[in-house]
Amino acid sequence: MKRITAVLLGVVFMMLSVVSVSAQCSICTKTAQQMGEKPAKALNAGILYLMVTPFAVVGFIGYRLWKQNKTDKV
């Protein structure tokens, strides 16, 4: 149980840490280079937004299953 909690805290910490990330494939990188700096930052932010959504959904489902499993044992 302590290991699961540590892993979950680690994942949450990584998701909440503010770091400049380049989340672009090679095609998106070339497109962003042609657009300029501001549109490239907006494209990168959009890619990161699309990446976080599935992780949030899976995390929520995992949390609910963990919480349900925890209450069943008591």
Side-chain angles (χ1 to χ4, degrees), residues 11-71:
V11 170
V12 168
F13 178 73
M14 288 189 318
M15 290 177 65
L16 295 177
S17 65
V18 180
V19 179
S20 178
V21 178
S22 296
Q24 296 177 349
C25 64
S26 60
I27 296 171
C28 295
T29 303
K30 287 184 180 184
T31 303
Q33 287 174 348
Q34 293 172 353
M35 291 190 309
E37 187 175 339
K38 279 191 173 184
K41 285 185 178 182
L43 177 67
N44 197 27
I47 291 169
L48 290 174
Y49 174 76
L50 290 172
M51 178 192 73
V52 167
T53 305
F55 281 106
V57 170
V58 169
F60 176 74
I61 292 170
Y63 173 76
R64 295 287 299 209
L65 290 172
W66 174 70
K67 194 73 165 173
Q68 182 181 12
N69 191 20
K70 184 178 175 183
T71 57

